[in-house]
Amino acid sequence: MSFKKFKIIIRHCECFASVKVGSNLKKIASFLVIMFFLYPLLYAQTEKDWVRNGDDLIEQYRDYYGASIWYKKALDVDTTVLEIAFKYAEALRGYNDYAKAEAKYYYIYKKDRGRLYPMAPFWYSMMLKYNGKYSDAKKAFKRCKRFFTRDKQGYHYLKVMNELKSCEEAIKIMKDSIPVDIKNIGSDINTYDNEMGGTLLNDSTLIFSSKRDVKMKDNNIIVDTSSYIYRIFKGNKHDDVWKMDTLLDEKINEPNFHIANGCLNQKGTTFYYTRCDRSYNCTIYAISYNEGKWETPYEVKGVNIEGSTSTQPSITEIEGKEVLFFSSNRGGGRGRMDIWYSTKDDYGNFMPPVNAGSPVNTIEDEVTPYYNSKDTALYFSSNWHYGLGGFDIFKSKSNIPNFEKPENMGFPINTSTNDLYYNIRNKTAVITSNRKGSFTKKGETCCNDVWVYEIPDTVKHEVFTTLEELNKYLPVKLYFHNDQPNPRTRDTLTTLNYMNTYKSYTRLYNEYKREYSKGLKNEDKDEAMLVIDDLFSENIDKGKNDLEMFTPLLNKELEDGKTVTLTIKGFASPLSKSDYNVNLTLRRVSSLINYLSEYEDGLLLPYINGTAENGAKLEFIKVPFGEYQSATISDDINDLRNSIYSPGAALERKIEIIAIQADDTNQVAMDGSELEKLPLLTFKDSLIHLNVGQTEKQLKIINNGEAPLKIFSATFSCDGFTIDLPGLEIPRLEPQELKLTYNPKEHIPKTCTVEFLTNTIPNKIRKQIIIR
């Protein structure tokens, strides 16, 4: 408030007090003036108290949800205080509200640029991954890497580099799902708080840990979460419904301690579990079960170490001896929490624990071990091995003391959230996960639930063996440097192989970084160089890698005697006239055909020449588009930065394998019947550009195929987008426009994707949306 406005208020108070209506009004006016001075001080003190309350809840109870409420209350007073905003973001992350945490970390990053809060861009990147936005997460990790380059052996630099690879693997894992149906075990076992560590004692008996409070029995009402403690419950299966049975004996569930992670030895005589104080200092305990009665609990000797946490016991038998697997942060490990195991000797004592070692343990956390003696494999969760989210479940075949390289259990066993506590009994498996679909009132991914699924007789990853499955790899996009191959010619053929052009292109990497960042300084220069890094790794290199995966699968189809037709579409940036660019794109298609002809010393050449003994052929439909018109790409040859070296221009210099089918749609089958004709959805713009603030855009499309086109739906990776789809079929060669509308709710991302479901092959077509 300005001093001028303040004097006006004081003057009004004085005038009000001077009216002859009694001394009480004068006293009231004086009181208002005093409160005007004191109110900011009193309010500021309250704001500090709110922050302190949040700090105390985290420090004393790890109650991130309760802390977030206090931080939000303080932040509502002044949303610009980054210190409070960062505490709020940390609390959101602490109780797994990934969506809100992503938005808040992004806000801090944009305001601070990593100066005071370098962890904001790091955790923003992690939240993108936790929200399943792997491509965006990969880009964000590249941008935050510079904050940690001073210590390339430090945890955060190594973590960023590891997550870059993990995001790439996550994209592959999501394409190769496992045929299992994972279901929430139900509302009688799970509550609006945390349930975890389900262990099957037999086909119909489950023990699990829960942080529920007795007050939650009525309508699952969450009261003061700081008072909740974990305890172990038992559940039973009635028909196909799991019901909560009872709380385990108080000898196990000691008051004022967190009790979790229960497991029973094979003989049914000893129950192992974790006992933690309120600060989560944990120790492994055991209790004997004799003639239907629990005896006195005791700390397991030889396993626990003072000053370190030992937790998550899992007891099994290997070659007739009991072996206890557990997780611990004790000295002598490889990371934070490691998997350890201890074998009982002939006298019933546990021998000194052994670290499971590499390749199981890493520099971060490996937790929740479970050893299945039937398939001699160790199952555990890790937040370092390449996965979909924070913790993923992995399987390592074992011949103790040797463990094989862990294998990710795949989607949907793993998700972009945390997946832990794998446990199986016969054909039933249970896991713990905070994936979407969990019971919650604090945010859709806040809390863990127990989930269950039936294991199929044979679980196999999807194998690409049919044409329809092969189409899932499409489109394969291959990129070229300006006017390559064979510049300044109107030839439609080249003798160059695509791999030759790719290698020449990658040698220009430093040149692209230098030219695109020329004239820029500081953060703008760093950002420009990172954009070029993304261009090469996520487009140019990816295209080459996709082609190398695609080609052997194509060969498999041809070996099976199928005649295969590839539809190849070409684009060029707008530096030359359309007729020149048509020839240029045909040269680029020619380089691809040369690559296929020379693949594995001419392995595919008989199919291309039509001389294969099995009668199979490899044929091509060429769709050269010539010049691509875009308002964001310069056609000024003197503007090298934007016409040649910009990502926008580079992304238009490409060819795409967009469809693969059993026969050319214009040919006739051997029995004289006409082969099925297919539609072909073609966009005028290969990228969709929106300016910041732009709310509408018309997308120009055409059906270049031989049959009517249907567009069933459009799915966006970002909120706020809608699109008007035609209700009728689109005839061939008839231009259409689709109205795209954008009304962002929170922060505006730089890129999004839209996936169209159509009756084409492939039936899913993705387009990238760039917002500037």
Side-chain angles (χ1 to χ4, degrees):
M1 178 181 292
S2 67
F3 184 68
K4 182 178 180 181
K5 289 182 179 179
F6 173 74
K7 289 198 299 182
I8 293 173
I9 292 173
I10 294 297
R11 191 178 302 119
H12 279 295
C13 289
E14 291 173 345
C15 292
F16 179 71
S18 66
V19 178
K20 296 179 180 179
V21 290
S23 61
N24 286 340
L25 288 179
K26 290 183 180 181
K27 292 179 180 178
I28 293 172
S30 299
F31 174 75
L32 290 173
V33 172
I34 293 170
M35 287 303 299
F36 182 84
F37 284 104
L38 291 179
Y39 180 75
L41 297 175
L42 293 172
Y43 202 80
Q45 184 62 41
T46 304
E47 182 183 336
K48 290 180 181 178
D49 288 340
W50 293 338
V51 173
R52 192 179 299 113
N53 288 343
D55 293 345
D56 290 343
L57 283 174
I58 292 176
E59 183 178 350
Q60 296 180 33
Y61 305 109
R62 295 190 186 180
D63 183 8
Y64 294 98
Y65 176 69
S68 73
I69 296 173
W70 288 111
Y71 294 145
K72 180 65 166 58
K73 194 176 181 69
L75 200 58
D76 286 341
V77 176
D78 187 350
T79 59
T80 64
V81 182
L82 291 185
E83 181 182 3
I84 302 176
F86 188 74
K87 286 176 179 285
Y88 180 49
E90 294 280 271
L92 292 170
R93 176 172 63 86
Y95 80 88
N96 302 328
D97 195 335
Y98 308 133
K100 288 182 181 178
E102 175 194 323
K104 190 53 64 178
Y105 281 124
Y106 182 80
Y107 168 80
I108 298 166
Y109 173 40
K110 283 301 179 183
K111 292 291 184 182
D112 178 62
R113 289 295 183 183
R115 297 181 187 91
L116 297 176
Y117 299 97
M119 294 308 297
F122 172 82
W123 285 117
Y124 167 63
S125 307
M126 288 299 300
M127 293 304 98
L128 285 170
K129 186 188 179 192
Y130 277 51
N131 286 318
K133 303 173 183 178
Y134 301 118
S135 294
D136 291 340
K138 183 180 174 183
K139 294 176 183 177
F141 278 120
K142 286 183 178 180
R143 282 159 175 75
C144 78
K145 179 175 68 173
R146 60 193 173 95
F147 297 112
F148 309 107
T149 51
R150 290 182 180 179
D151 183 9
K152 291 190 175 181
Q153 297 304 312
Y155 165 76
H156 287 104
Y157 182 82
L158 295 175
K159 178 67 172 175
V160 168
M161 299 306 293
N162 191 69
E163 287 299 332
L164 285 170
K165 296 178 182 178
S166 186
C167 288
E168 292 176 357
E169 289 301 313
I171 294 170
K172 296 177 184 177
I173 291 170
M174 291 300 293
K175 290 181 179 179
D176 194 11
S177 61
I178 306 296
V180 296
D181 183 18
I182 300 180
K183 298 178 180 179
N184 191 296
I185 204 168
S187 58
D188 208 66
I189 300 293
N190 294 318
T191 67
Y192 288 132
D193 215 291
N194 274 309
E195 280 70 42
M196 65 181 191
T199 300
L200 290 162
L201 301 184
N202 52 53
D203 291 339
S204 60
T205 305
L206 174 82
I207 54 173
F208 63 98
S209 307
S210 176
K211 205 179 181 184
R212 71 185 73 193
D213 189 82
V214 291
K215 299 173 184 176
M216 293 181 67
K217 289 182 178 178
D218 299 324
N219 300 320
N220 276 317
I221 297 173
I222 299 171
V223 194
D224 179 13
T225 58
S226 65
S227 67
Y228 292 9
I229 57 174
Y230 281 102
R231 293 170 296 173
I232 299 179
F233 295 80
K234 185 176 73 169
N236 288 303
K237 189 176 183 181
H238 301 276
D239 295 326
D240 285 328
V241 179
W242 285 93
K243 295 288 186 181
M244 209 273 281
D245 183 3
T246 184
L247 182 68
L248 291 194
D249 194 280
E250 194 173 86
K251 289 182 179 179
I252 298 171
N253 286 307
E254 294 181 63
N256 299 317
F257 285 95
H258 293 290
I259 307 297
N261 317 132
C263 63
L264 191 64
N265 69 347
Q266 189 169 320
K267 297 174 183 176
T269 57
T270 308
F271 185 78
Y272 295 86
Y273 60 95
T274 303
R275 177 182 182 268
C276 308
D277 62 23
R278 287 302 189 101
S279 298
Y280 290 91
N281 300 305
C282 300
T283 307
I284 295 175
Y285 267 63
I287 185 171
S288 297
Y289 189 69
N290 187 18
E291 296 181 355
K293 293 183 179 180
W294 296 106
E295 297 184 354
T296 303
Y298 57 91
E299 183 179 334
V300 178
K301 294 181 179 180
V303 171
N304 300 300
I305 291 182
E306 187 175 352
S308 299
T309 278
S310 300
T311 184
Q312 299 155 359
S314 177
I315 191 74
T316 188
E317 280 195 14
I318 301 175
E319 297 180 352
K321 292 188 176 182
E322 286 193 339
V323 181
L324 183 69
F325 286 87
F326 61 98
S327 183
S328 178
N329 62 354
R330 66 190 57 207
R334 294 177 175 269
R336 297 178 176 179
M337 297 291 289
D338 275 11
I339 304 296
W340 297 74
Y341 64 93
S342 175
T343 305
K344 263 190 178 182
D345 62 21
D346 294 336
Y347 303 99
N349 301 314
F350 282 106
M351 300 170 66
V354 178
N355 189 287
S358 175
V360 169
N361 290 319
T362 68
I363 69 170
E364 205 164 3
D365 295 315
E366 278 68 48
V367 295
T368 65
Y370 165 74
Y371 188 89
N372 182 22
S373 17
K374 288 187 177 179
D375 63 358
T376 62
L378 173 68
Y379 296 83
F380 65 96
S381 291
S382 171
N383 57 5
W384 181 268
H385 292 294
Y386 301 151
L388 297 176
F391 282 100
D392 271 26
I393 300 169
F394 294 85
K395 174 182 179 180
S396 174
K397 293 290 288 183
S398 171
N399 180 15
I400 291 178
N402 300 312
F403 295 87
E404 295 181 6
K405 182 180 178 180
E407 173 191 354
N408 190 294
M409 292 289 285
F411 177 82
I413 295 173
N414 290 315
T415 65
S416 65
T417 60
N418 291 318
D419 302 287
L420 305 133
Y421 293 102
Y422 188 81
N423 182 264
I424 58 177
R425 171 73 63 168
N426 296 326
K427 287 190 175 183
T428 302
V430 293
I431 61 174
T432 296
S433 179
N434 64 324
R435 65 186 64 196
K436 293 179 181 179
S438 299
F439 293 99
T440 173
K441 284 190 176 181
K442 308 183 206 171
E444 60 183 357
T445 56
C446 86
C447 305
N448 288 315
D449 272 5
V450 177
W451 297 71
V452 63
Y453 71 92
E454 297 301 315
I455 302 173
D457 290 334
T458 303
V459 177
K460 292 183 179 179
H461 287 270
E462 198 172 10
V463 179
F464 292 91
T465 57
T466 69
L467 286 172
E468 183 178 357
E469 291 167 337
L470 184 54
N471 270 281
K472 294 179 181 180
Y473 270 111
L474 302 185
V476 173
K477 300 180 181 181
L478 308 175
Y479 296 89
F480 299 80
H481 181 52
N482 184 61
D483 203 19
Q484 294 293 334
N486 305 115
R488 297 180 296 279
T489 177
R490 290 184 177 271
D491 291 342
T492 58
L493 298 175
T494 182
T495 59
L496 292 176
N497 177 316
Y498 168 73
M499 283 301 170
N500 303 137
T501 69
Y502 163 76
K503 291 175 182 177
S504 298
Y505 201 173
T506 57
R507 285 195 286 268
L508 299 175
Y509 170 68
N510 289 326
E511 180 178 324
Y512 269 72
K513 292 179 74 172
R514 181 178 65 252
E515 293 296 327
Y516 190 62
S517 63
K518 185 181 290 184
L520 302 177
K521 296 181 180 179
N522 302 326
E523 291 179 3
D524 291 336
K525 185 172 184 177
D526 290 342
E527 179 68 19
M529 296 175 74
L530 284 168
V531 167
I532 295 301
D533 190 43
D534 288 344
L535 168 68
F536 276 79
S537 66
E538 297 190 11
N539 296 282
I540 298 167
D541 292 342
K542 182 179 182 299
K544 187 269 295 186
N545 295 336
D546 287 349
L547 180 62
E548 289 181 331
M549 289 191 295
F550 175 85
T551 308
L553 300 175
L554 173 63
N555 178 61
K556 177 68 169 58
E557 296 304 307
L558 294 166
E559 286 181 341
D560 289 344
K562 298 174 183 175
T563 293
V564 177
T565 301
L566 302 183
T567 300
I568 308 169
K569 183 169 63 173
F571 296 93
S573 58
L575 285 179
S576 300
K577 295 181 180 179
S578 293
D579 57 346
Y580 179 90
N581 280 336
V582 167
N583 291 354
L584 173 59
T585 56
L586 287 172
R587 290 201 301 277
R588 290 171 176 169
V589 172
S590 175
S591 75
L592 170 61
I593 296 174
N594 291 342
Y595 163 77
L596 296 173
S597 299
E598 298 168 16
Y599 174 75
E600 295 287 340
D601 297 323
L603 185 65
L604 302 180
L605 192 58
Y607 304 111
I608 296 173
N609 293 336
T611 59
E613 293 183 1
N614 64 0
K617 295 180 181 180
L618 177 57
E619 301 176 338
F620 307 95
I621 298 176
K622 305 173 186 179
V623 187
F625 264 54
E627 179 179 349
Y628 167 74
Q629 297 289 349
S630 173
T632 63
I633 301 174
S634 173
D635 59 0
D636 182 1
I637 191 62
N638 296 314
D639 182 12
L640 297 181
R641 180 180 187 271
N642 292 308
S643 64
I644 293 180
Y645 296 105
S646 74
L651 291 174
E652 299 315 319
R653 302 191 296 259
K654 66 181 177 183
I655 58 175
E656 298 180 353
I657 305 174
I658 59 173
I660 176 172
Q661 57 199 68
D663 288 280
D664 189 332
T665 56
N666 296 313
Q667 293 181 349
V668 176
M670 294 183 66
D671 62 1
S673 63
E674 187 174 339
L675 292 169
E676 180 186 3
K677 296 182 178 181
L678 298 171
L680 178 61
L681 172 59
T682 302
F683 287 79
K684 184 178 185 297
D685 298 345
S686 64
L687 295 175
I688 302 171
H689 290 277
L690 282 178
N691 297 321
V692 174
Q694 184 179 358
T695 59
E696 292 184 2
K697 187 178 183 68
Q698 298 295 329
L699 308 182
K700 296 181 179 180
I701 63 169
I702 191 170
N703 175 13
N704 277 331
E706 297 293 330
L709 169 68
K710 298 177 184 178
I711 304 179
F712 302 111
S713 65
T715 305
F716 295 90
S717 64
C718 302
D719 294 331
F721 283 100
T722 57
I723 194 166
D724 294 336
L725 299 177
L728 302 175
E729 293 180 339
I730 301 174
R732 61 184 301 269
L733 302 180
E734 182 175 305
Q736 297 267 338
E737 288 190 352
L738 308 179
K739 182 181 176 182
L740 178 71
T741 305
Y742 184 41
N743 294 304
K745 297 179 180 178
E746 294 183 354
H747 71 270
I748 300 176
K750 289 186 176 181
T751 62
C752 294
T753 58
V754 54
E755 182 177 85
F756 294 91
L757 181 63
T758 71
N759 64 331
T760 61
I761 295 181
N763 65 342
K764 292 181 180 179
I765 298 171
R766 292 184 180 89
K767 306 294 291 182
Q768 188 176 27
I769 304 171
I770 297 178
I771 305 170
R772 295 176 177 171

